[in-house]
Coordinates of all heavy atoms in Angstrom, one line a residue:
M125 N 80.0 62.4 -18.1 CA 78.6 62.1 -17.6 C 78.0 61.1 -18.4 O 77.9 61.1 -19.6 CB 77.8 63.4 -17.5 CG 76.4 63.2 -17.0 SD 75.9 64.8 -16.3 CE 74.7 64.3 -15.2
P126 N 77.4 60.0 -17.7 CA 76.8 58.9 -18.5 C 75.5 59.4 -19.2 O 74.8 60.3 -18.7 CB 76.5 57.9 -17.4 CG 76.4 58.6 -16.2 CD 77.3 59.8 -16.3
R127 N 75.2 58.8 -20.3 CA 74.0 59.0 -21.0 C 72.9 58.3 -20.3 O 73.0 57.1 -19.9 CB 74.1 58.5 -22.4 CG 72.9 58.2 -23.2 CD 72.4 59.5 -23.9 NE 71.5 59.3 -25.0 CZ 70.2 59.1 -24.9 NH1 69.6 59.2 -23.7 NH2 69.5 58.9 -25.9
T128 N 71.7 58.9 -20.0 CA 70.6 58.2 -19.4 C 69.5 58.2 -20.4 O 69.4 59.0 -21.4 CB 70.1 58.9 -18.2 OG1 69.8 60.3 -18.5 CG2 71.2 58.9 -17.1
V129 N 68.6 57.2 -20.3 CA 67.5 57.0 -21.2 C 66.2 57.5 -20.5 O 66.0 57.3 -19.3 CB 67.3 55.5 -21.5 CG1 66.1 55.3 -22.4 CG2 68.6 55.0 -22.2
T130 N 65.4 58.3 -21.2 CA 64.2 58.8 -20.6 C 63.0 57.8 -20.8 O 63.1 56.9 -21.7 CB 63.8 60.2 -21.3 OG1 63.4 59.9 -22.7 CG2 64.9 61.2 -21.2
I131 N 62.0 58.0 -20.1 CA 60.8 57.2 -20.3 C 60.2 57.3 -21.7 O 59.8 56.4 -22.3 CB 59.8 57.4 -19.1 CG1 58.8 56.2 -19.2 CG2 59.1 58.7 -19.2 CD1 57.9 56.1 -17.9
D132 N 60.3 58.5 -22.2 CA 59.8 58.8 -23.5 C 60.6 58.0 -24.6 O 60.0 57.4 -25.5 CB 59.8 60.3 -23.9 CG 58.7 61.0 -23.1 OD1 57.7 60.4 -22.6 OD2 58.9 62.2 -22.9
E133 N 61.9 58.0 -24.4 CA 62.7 57.2 -25.4 C 62.4 55.7 -25.3 O 62.3 55.0 -26.3 CB 64.2 57.4 -25.1 CG 64.7 58.8 -25.4 CD 66.1 59.1 -24.9 OE1 66.4 58.8 -23.8 OE2 66.9 59.6 -25.7
A134 N 62.3 55.2 -24.1 CA 62.0 53.8 -23.9 C 60.6 53.4 -24.4 O 60.4 52.4 -25.0 CB 62.2 53.4 -22.4
T135 N 59.7 54.3 -24.2 CA 58.3 54.1 -24.7 C 58.3 54.0 -26.2 O 57.6 53.2 -26.8 CB 57.4 55.2 -24.1 OG1 57.3 55.1 -22.7 CG2 56.0 55.0 -24.6
A136 N 59.0 54.9 -26.8 CA 59.1 54.9 -28.3 C 59.7 53.6 -28.8 O 59.1 53.1 -29.8 CB 59.9 56.1 -28.8
I137 N 60.7 53.1 -28.2 CA 61.2 51.8 -28.6 C 60.2 50.7 -28.4 O 60.1 49.9 -29.3 CB 62.5 51.5 -27.8 CG1 63.6 52.5 -28.2 CG2 63.0 50.1 -28.0 CD1 64.9 52.5 -27.3
I138 N 59.5 50.7 -27.3 CA 58.5 49.7 -27.0 C 57.4 49.8 -28.0 O 57.0 48.7 -28.6 CB 58.0 49.8 -25.6 CG1 59.1 49.3 -24.6 CG2 56.7 48.9 -25.4 CD1 58.8 49.6 -23.1
R139 N 57.0 51.0 -28.3 CA 55.9 51.1 -29.3 C 56.3 50.6 -30.7 O 55.6 50.0 -31.4 CB 55.5 52.6 -29.4 CG 54.6 53.0 -28.3 CD 53.8 54.2 -28.6 NE 53.1 54.7 -27.4 CZ 52.1 54.2 -26.9 NH1 51.5 53.1 -27.4 NH2 51.5 54.7 -25.8
S140 N 57.6 50.8 -31.0 CA 58.1 50.3 -32.3 C 58.1 48.8 -32.3 O 57.9 48.2 -33.4 CB 59.5 50.9 -32.6 OG 60.5 50.3 -31.8
K141 N 58.4 48.2 -31.2 CA 58.3 46.7 -31.1 C 56.9 46.2 -31.2 O 56.7 45.1 -31.8 CB 58.9 46.2 -29.8 CG 60.3 46.6 -29.5 CD 61.3 46.0 -30.5 CE 62.7 46.6 -30.3 NZ 63.3 47.0 -31.5
L142 N 56.0 46.9 -30.6 CA 54.6 46.5 -30.6 C 53.9 46.7 -32.0 O 52.9 46.0 -32.3 CB 53.8 47.2 -29.5 CG 54.2 46.8 -28.1 CD1 53.5 47.7 -27.1 CD2 53.9 45.3 -27.8
G143 N 54.4 47.6 -32.7 CA 53.8 47.9 -34.0 C 52.3 48.4 -33.8 O 52.0 49.1 -32.9
S144 N 51.4 47.8 -34.7 CA 50.0 48.2 -34.6 C 49.4 47.8 -33.3 O 48.4 48.3 -32.8 CB 49.3 47.6 -35.8 OG 49.3 46.2 -35.7
R145 N 50.0 46.8 -32.6 CA 49.5 46.3 -31.3 C 49.6 47.4 -30.3 O 48.9 47.4 -29.3 CB 50.2 45.1 -30.8 CG 50.1 43.9 -31.7 CD 50.9 42.7 -31.1 NE 52.4 43.1 -31.3 CZ 53.4 42.6 -30.6 NH1 53.1 41.8 -29.6 NH2 54.6 42.9 -30.8
G146 N 50.6 48.3 -30.4 CA 50.8 49.3 -29.4 C 50.1 50.6 -29.6 O 50.2 51.5 -28.8
A147 N 49.4 50.8 -30.7 CA 48.8 52.0 -31.1 C 47.8 52.5 -30.0 O 47.8 53.7 -29.7 CB 48.0 51.9 -32.4
R148 N 47.1 51.6 -29.4 CA 46.2 52.1 -28.3 C 46.6 51.6 -27.0 O 45.8 51.7 -26.0 CB 44.8 51.5 -28.7 CG 44.2 52.2 -29.9 CD 42.8 51.7 -30.2 NE 43.1 50.6 -31.1 CZ 42.2 49.6 -31.4 NH1 41.1 49.6 -30.8 NH2 42.5 48.6 -32.2
T149 N 47.8 51.1 -26.8 CA 48.3 50.6 -25.5 C 48.8 51.8 -24.7 O 49.6 52.6 -25.2 CB 49.4 49.6 -25.7 OG1 48.9 48.5 -26.5 CG2 49.9 49.1 -24.4
E150 N 48.3 51.9 -23.5 CA 48.8 52.9 -22.6 C 50.1 52.4 -21.9 O 50.1 51.3 -21.3 CB 47.8 53.3 -21.5 CG 48.2 54.4 -20.6 CD 47.2 54.8 -19.6 OE1 46.0 54.3 -19.6 OE2 47.5 55.6 -18.7
I151 N 51.2 53.1 -22.0 CA 52.4 52.7 -21.5 C 52.9 53.6 -20.4 O 53.0 54.8 -20.7 CB 53.5 52.5 -22.6 CG1 53.1 51.6 -23.7 CG2 54.8 52.1 -21.9 CD1 54.0 51.5 -24.8
R152 N 53.0 53.1 -19.2 CA 53.4 53.9 -18.0 C 54.7 53.2 -17.4 O 55.0 52.1 -17.7 CB 52.4 54.0 -17.0 CG 51.1 54.7 -17.4 CD 50.1 54.7 -16.3 NE 49.0 55.5 -16.7 CZ 48.0 55.9 -16.0 NH1 48.0 55.4 -14.7 NH2 47.1 56.6 -16.4
G153 N 55.3 53.9 -16.5 CA 56.5 53.4 -15.8 C 56.1 52.1 -15.1 O 56.9 51.2 -15.0
S154 N 54.9 52.0 -14.6 CA 54.5 50.9 -13.8 C 54.0 49.7 -14.6 O 53.7 48.6 -14.1 CB 53.4 51.3 -12.8 OG 52.3 51.8 -13.5
S155 N 54.0 49.9 -16.0 CA 53.5 48.9 -16.9 C 54.4 47.7 -16.8 O 55.6 47.8 -17.0 CB 53.4 49.4 -18.3 OG 52.5 50.5 -18.4
R156 N 53.8 46.5 -16.7 CA 54.6 45.2 -16.8 C 54.9 45.0 -18.2 O 53.9 45.1 -19.1 CB 53.8 44.1 -16.1 CG 53.7 44.2 -14.6 CD 53.0 43.0 -14.0 NE 53.6 41.8 -14.4 CZ 54.5 41.1 -13.8 NH1 55.0 41.6 -12.7 NH2 55.0 40.0 -14.2
L157 N 56.1 44.6 -18.5 CA 56.5 44.4 -19.9 C 55.6 43.3 -20.6 O 55.2 43.4 -21.7 CB 58.0 44.1 -20.0 CG 58.9 45.2 -19.5 CD1 60.3 44.7 -19.5 CD2 58.7 46.5 -20.2
D158 N 55.4 42.2 -19.8 CA 54.6 41.1 -20.4 C 53.1 41.5 -20.6 O 52.4 41.1 -21.5 CB 54.7 39.8 -19.6 CG 54.3 40.0 -18.1 OD1 54.2 41.1 -17.6 OD2 54.2 39.0 -17.4
D159 N 52.6 42.4 -19.7 CA 51.2 42.9 -19.9 C 51.1 43.8 -21.1 O 50.0 43.9 -21.7 CB 50.8 43.7 -18.6 CG 50.5 42.8 -17.4 OD1 50.4 41.5 -17.6 OD2 50.4 43.3 -16.3
L160 N 52.2 44.4 -21.5 CA 52.1 45.3 -22.7 C 52.1 44.4 -24.0 O 51.8 44.9 -25.1 CB 53.4 46.1 -22.8 CG 53.5 47.2 -21.7 CD1 54.9 47.9 -21.8 CD2 52.4 48.2 -21.8
G161 N 52.3 43.1 -23.9 CA 52.3 42.3 -25.0 C 53.6 42.0 -25.7 O 53.7 41.5 -26.8
L162 N 54.7 42.4 -25.0 CA 56.0 42.2 -25.5 C 56.4 40.7 -25.4 O 56.3 40.2 -24.3 CB 57.1 43.1 -24.8 CG 57.0 44.6 -25.1 CD1 58.0 45.3 -24.1 CD2 57.4 44.9 -26.5
S163 N 56.9 40.1 -26.4 CA 57.5 38.8 -26.3 C 58.8 38.8 -25.6 O 59.4 39.9 -25.5 CB 57.6 38.1 -27.7 OG 58.6 38.8 -28.4
S164 N 59.3 37.7 -25.2 CA 60.7 37.7 -24.6 C 61.7 38.2 -25.6 O 62.7 38.9 -25.2 CB 61.0 36.3 -24.0 OG 61.0 35.4 -25.1
L165 N 61.6 37.9 -26.8 CA 62.5 38.4 -27.9 C 62.4 39.9 -28.0 O 63.4 40.6 -28.1 CB 62.2 37.7 -29.2 CG 63.1 38.1 -30.4 CD1 64.6 37.8 -30.0 CD2 62.7 37.3 -31.6
E166 N 61.2 40.4 -28.0 CA 61.0 41.9 -28.1 C 61.6 42.6 -26.9 O 62.2 43.7 -27.0 CB 59.5 42.2 -28.2 CG 59.0 41.8 -29.6 CD 57.5 41.9 -29.7 OE1 56.8 41.6 -28.7 OE2 57.0 42.1 -30.8
V167 N 61.5 42.0 -25.7 CA 62.1 42.6 -24.5 C 63.6 42.6 -24.7 O 64.3 43.6 -24.4 CB 61.7 41.8 -23.2 CG1 62.5 42.3 -22.0 CG2 60.2 42.0 -22.9
A168 N 64.2 41.5 -25.1 CA 65.6 41.4 -25.3 C 66.1 42.4 -26.3 O 67.1 43.1 -26.1 CB 66.0 40.0 -25.7
D169 N 65.3 42.6 -27.4 CA 65.7 43.5 -28.4 C 65.5 45.0 -27.9 O 66.4 45.8 -28.3 CB 64.8 43.3 -29.7 CG 65.3 44.0 -30.9 OD1 66.5 44.0 -31.1 OD2 64.5 44.6 -31.6
T170 N 64.6 45.2 -27.1 CA 64.4 46.5 -26.4 C 65.7 46.9 -25.6 O 66.2 48.0 -25.7 CB 63.2 46.6 -25.6 OG1 62.0 46.4 -26.4 CG2 63.0 48.0 -24.9
F171 N 66.1 45.9 -24.8 CA 67.3 46.1 -24.0 C 68.5 46.3 -24.9 O 69.4 47.2 -24.6 CB 67.6 44.9 -23.1 CG 67.0 45.1 -21.7 CD1 65.9 44.2 -21.4 CD2 67.4 46.0 -20.8 CE1 65.3 44.4 -20.1 CE2 66.8 46.1 -19.6 CZ 65.8 45.3 -19.2
F172 N 68.6 45.6 -26.0 CA 69.7 45.8 -27.0 C 69.7 47.3 -27.5 O 70.8 47.9 -27.5 CB 69.6 44.8 -28.1 CG 70.7 45.0 -29.1 CD1 72.0 44.7 -28.9 CD2 70.4 45.6 -30.4 CE1 73.0 44.8 -29.8 CE2 71.4 45.8 -31.3 CZ 72.7 45.4 -31.0
E173 N 68.6 47.8 -27.8 CA 68.5 49.2 -28.3 C 68.9 50.2 -27.2 O 69.5 51.2 -27.5 CB 67.1 49.5 -28.9 CG 66.9 48.8 -30.2 CD 65.7 49.4 -30.9 OE1 65.4 50.6 -30.9 OE2 64.9 48.6 -31.5
L174 N 68.5 49.9 -26.0 CA 68.8 50.7 -24.8 C 70.3 50.7 -24.6 O 70.9 51.7 -24.3 CB 68.0 50.3 -23.6 CG 66.5 50.5 -23.7 CD1 65.8 49.9 -22.5 CD2 66.2 52.0 -23.9
E175 N 70.9 49.5 -24.7 CA 72.4 49.4 -24.6 C 73.1 50.3 -25.6 O 74.1 51.0 -25.3 CB 72.8 48.0 -24.8 CG 72.5 47.0 -23.7 CD 72.9 45.6 -24.0 OE1 73.0 45.2 -25.2 OE2 73.1 44.8 -23.0
E176 N 72.6 50.3 -26.8 CA 73.2 51.2 -27.8 C 73.1 52.6 -27.5 O 74.0 53.4 -27.7 CB 72.5 50.9 -29.2 CG 72.9 49.5 -29.8 CD 72.3 49.3 -31.2 OE1 71.4 50.0 -31.5 OE2 72.9 48.4 -31.9
L177 N 71.9 53.0 -26.9 CA 71.7 54.4 -26.5 C 72.7 54.9 -25.4 O 73.3 55.9 -25.5 CB 70.3 54.7 -26.0 CG 69.2 54.8 -27.0 CD1 67.9 54.9 -26.4 CD2 69.5 55.9 -28.0
V178 N 72.9 54.0 -24.4 CA 73.8 54.4 -23.3 C 75.3 54.0 -23.5 O 76.1 54.5 -22.8 CB 73.3 53.8 -21.9 CG1 72.0 54.3 -21.5 CG2 73.3 52.2 -22.0
G179 N 75.5 53.2 -24.5 CA 76.9 52.9 -24.9 C 77.6 51.9 -24.1 O 78.8 51.8 -24.0
H180 N 76.9 51.0 -23.4 CA 77.5 49.9 -22.7 C 76.5 48.7 -22.6 O 75.3 48.8 -22.8 CB 77.9 50.3 -21.3 CG 76.7 50.7 -20.4 ND1 76.0 49.8 -19.7 CD2 76.2 51.9 -20.1 CE1 75.0 50.4 -19.0 NE2 75.1 51.7 -19.2
E181 N 77.1 47.5 -22.4 CA 76.3 46.3 -22.3 C 75.8 46.2 -20.8 O 76.4 46.6 -19.9 CB 77.3 45.1 -22.5 CG 76.5 43.9 -23.0 CD 77.5 42.8 -23.5 OE1 78.3 43.1 -24.4 OE2 77.5 41.7 -23.0
L182 N 74.6 45.7 -20.8 CA 73.9 45.5 -19.5 C 74.2 44.2 -18.8 O 74.4 43.2 -19.6 CB 72.4 45.7 -19.6 CG 71.9 47.0 -20.1 CD1 70.5 47.0 -20.5 CD2 72.3 48.1 -19.2
D183 N 74.2 44.1 -17.5 CA 74.4 42.9 -16.8 C 73.2 42.0 -17.0 O 72.1 42.4 -16.6 CB 74.6 43.3 -15.3 CG 74.9 42.1 -14.4 OD1 74.6 40.9 -14.8 OD2 75.5 42.3 -13.4
A184 N 73.4 40.8 -17.5 CA 72.3 39.9 -17.8 C 71.6 39.5 -16.5 O 70.3 39.2 -16.6 CB 72.9 38.6 -18.5
T185 N 72.2 39.4 -15.4 CA 71.5 39.1 -14.2 C 70.5 40.2 -13.7 O 69.5 39.9 -13.2 CB 72.5 38.8 -13.0 OG1 73.3 39.9 -12.7 CG2 73.3 37.6 -13.3
V186 N 70.9 41.4 -14.0 CA 70.0 42.5 -13.7 C 68.8 42.5 -14.7 O 67.6 42.6 -14.3 CB 70.7 43.9 -13.8 CG1 69.7 45.0 -13.6 CG2 71.8 43.9 -12.7
V187 N 69.1 42.3 -15.9 CA 68.1 42.3 -17.0 C 67.0 41.2 -16.7 O 65.8 41.4 -16.9 CB 68.7 42.2 -18.4 CG1 67.7 41.9 -19.4 CG2 69.6 43.4 -18.7
A188 N 67.5 40.1 -16.3 CA 66.6 38.9 -16.1 C 65.5 39.2 -15.0 O 64.4 38.6 -15.1 CB 67.4 37.7 -15.7
D189 N 65.8 40.1 -14.1 CA 64.8 40.4 -13.0 C 63.8 41.5 -13.3 O 62.9 41.8 -12.6 CB 65.6 40.8 -11.7 CG 66.3 39.6 -11.1 OD1 65.9 38.5 -11.4 OD2 67.4 39.9 -10.5
V190 N 64.0 42.2 -14.4 CA 63.2 43.4 -14.8 C 61.8 42.9 -15.2 O 61.6 42.0 -16.0 CB 63.9 44.2 -15.9 CG1 62.9 45.2 -16.5 CG2 65.1 44.8 -15.4
Q191 N 60.8 43.6 -14.6 CA 59.4 43.2 -15.0 C 58.6 44.4 -15.5 O 57.6 44.3 -16.2 CB 58.7 42.6 -13.8 CG 59.3 41.3 -13.3 CD 58.6 40.7 -12.2 OE1 57.5 41.1 -11.8 NE2 59.2 39.7 -11.5
T192 N 59.0 45.7 -15.1 CA 58.2 46.9 -15.5 C 59.1 47.8 -16.2 O 60.4 47.7 -16.2 CB 57.7 47.6 -14.2 OG1 58.8 48.1 -13.5 CG2 56.8 46.7 -13.4
L193 N 58.5 48.8 -16.9 CA 59.3 49.8 -17.6 C 60.2 50.6 -16.6 O 61.3 50.9 -16.9 CB 58.3 50.8 -18.3 CG 59.0 51.9 -19.1 CD1 60.0 51.4 -20.1 CD2 57.9 52.7 -19.9
D194 N 59.6 51.0 -15.4 CA 60.4 51.7 -14.4 C 61.7 50.9 -14.1 O 62.8 51.4 -13.9 CB 59.6 51.9 -13.2 CG 58.7 53.1 -13.3 OD1 58.9 54.0 -14.2 OD2 57.7 53.2 -12.5
E195 N 61.5 49.5 -13.9 CA 62.6 48.7 -13.5 C 63.6 48.6 -14.7 O 64.8 48.6 -14.5 CB 62.2 47.3 -13.2 CG 61.4 47.2 -11.9 CD 60.8 45.9 -11.6 OE1 60.9 44.9 -12.4 OE2 60.1 45.7 -10.5
M196 N 63.1 48.6 -15.9 CA 64.0 48.6 -17.1 C 64.8 49.9 -17.1 O 66.1 49.8 -17.3 CB 63.1 48.5 -18.4 CG 63.9 48.6 -19.6 SD 62.9 48.4 -21.1 CE 62.7 46.7 -21.3
L197 N 64.2 51.0 -16.9 CA 65.0 52.3 -16.9 C 65.9 52.3 -15.7 O 67.1 52.8 -15.9 CB 64.0 53.5 -16.8 CG 63.2 53.7 -18.1 CD1 62.1 54.8 -17.9 CD2 64.1 54.1 -19.2
A198 N 65.5 51.8 -14.6 CA 66.5 51.8 -13.4 C 67.7 51.0 -13.7 O 68.8 51.3 -13.4 CB 65.7 51.3 -12.2
A199 N 67.4 49.8 -14.4 CA 68.6 48.9 -14.7 C 69.5 49.6 -15.7 O 70.7 49.6 -15.5 CB 68.0 47.6 -15.3
V200 N 69.0 50.2 -16.7 CA 69.8 50.9 -17.7 C 70.5 52.1 -17.2 O 71.7 52.2 -17.3 CB 68.9 51.3 -18.9 CG1 69.7 52.1 -19.9 CG2 68.4 50.0 -19.6
N201 N 69.7 53.0 -16.5 CA 70.3 54.2 -16.0 C 71.2 54.0 -14.8 O 72.2 54.6 -14.6 CB 69.2 55.2 -15.8 CG 68.6 55.7 -17.1 OD1 69.2 55.7 -18.2 ND2 67.3 56.0 -17.1
G202 N 70.7 53.1 -13.9 CA 71.5 52.8 -12.7 C 72.9 52.2 -13.0 O 73.9 52.5 -12.4
Q203 N 72.9 51.3 -14.0 CA 74.1 50.7 -14.4 C 75.0 51.7 -15.1 O 76.2 51.7 -14.9 CB 73.9 49.5 -15.3 CG 75.2 48.7 -15.6 CD 74.9 47.3 -16.2 OE1 73.8 46.8 -16.2 NE2 76.0 46.7 -16.7
A204 N 74.5 52.6 -15.8 CA 75.3 53.7 -16.4 C 76.0 54.5 -15.3 O 77.1 54.8 -15.4 CB 74.4 54.6 -17.3
D205 N 75.2 54.8 -14.3 CA 75.8 55.6 -13.2 C 76.9 54.8 -12.5 O 77.9 55.4 -12.1 CB 74.7 55.9 -12.1 CG 73.7 56.9 -12.7 OD1 74.0 57.6 -13.7 OD2 72.6 57.0 -12.1
R206 N 76.7 53.5 -12.2 CA 77.7 52.7 -11.6 C 79.0 52.6 -12.4 O 80.1 52.6 -11.9 CB 77.1 51.3 -11.2 CG 76.2 51.3 -10.1 CD 75.8 49.9 -9.6 NE 75.3 49.0 -10.7 CZ 74.0 49.1 -11.0 NH1 73.1 49.9 -10.5 NH2 73.5 48.3 -12.0
L207 N 78.8 52.5 -13.7 CA 80.0 52.4 -14.6 C 80.8 53.7 -14.6 O 82.0 53.7 -14.6 CB 79.6 52.1 -16.0 CG 79.1 50.6 -16.3 CD1 78.5 50.5 -17.7 CD2 80.2 49.6 -16.1
Q208 N 80.1 54.8 -14.5 CA 80.7 56.1 -14.5 C 81.5 56.3 -13.2 O 82.6 56.8 -13.1 CB 79.7 57.2 -14.7 CG 80.3 58.6 -14.7 CD 81.1 58.9 -16.0 OE1 81.0 58.2 -17.0 NE2 81.9 59.9 -15.9
A209 N 80.9 55.8 -12.1 CA 81.5 56.0 -10.7 C 82.7 55.1 -10.6 O 83.6 55.4 -9.8 CB 80.5 55.7 -9.7
G210 N 82.7 53.9 -11.2 CA 83.7 52.9 -11.1 C 84.9 53.3 -11.8 O 86.0 53.2 -11.7

């Protein structure tokens, strides 16, 4: 069974990227990554950490289209499901 990432795990990673900037930031599934204040490098680094959690590399074309936390989780967890089924 593939490992899936929870919203709490992803939120913790995002908060670690934001540091003190994220202390008072409300993070929801519908939150846009750029509205949270994540730089493109921080988004890429977040995806890298998520890849480590699920144990596989993500498709760059899927990652490029992600705009919200929900979309990020769908990309990570959906790709894990597809890899397991394949």
Side-chain angles (χ1 to χ4, degrees):
M125 181 154 200
R127 162 84 160 87
T128 58
V129 178
T130 67
I131 194 164
D132 290 335
E133 290 172 313
T135 298
I137 292 169
I138 290 170
R139 284 202 188 283
S140 74
K141 302 295 172 226
L142 292 172
S144 62
R145 296 176 292 155
R148 290 179 273 158
T149 302
E150 184 175 357
I151 302 175
R152 296 181 172 186
S154 61
S155 298
R156 291 181 53 89
L157 301 175
D158 55 351
D159 288 346
L160 293 174
L162 290 171
S163 70
S164 57
L165 181 58
E166 290 167 327
V167 170
D169 195 43
T170 299
F171 270 111
F172 178 72
E173 287 193 40
L174 294 173
E175 286 176 337
E176 288 183 341
L177 284 177
V178 296
H180 65 82
E181 202 169 305
L182 299 172
D183 182 338
T185 59
V186 173
V187 170
D189 292 334
V190 168
Q191 296 181 16
T192 67
L193 178 54
D194 282 339
E195 291 173 359
M196 178 180 273
L197 289 171
V200 171
N201 294 329
Q203 189 164 345
D205 292 342
R206 286 190 301 278
L207 288 172
Q208 183 70 17

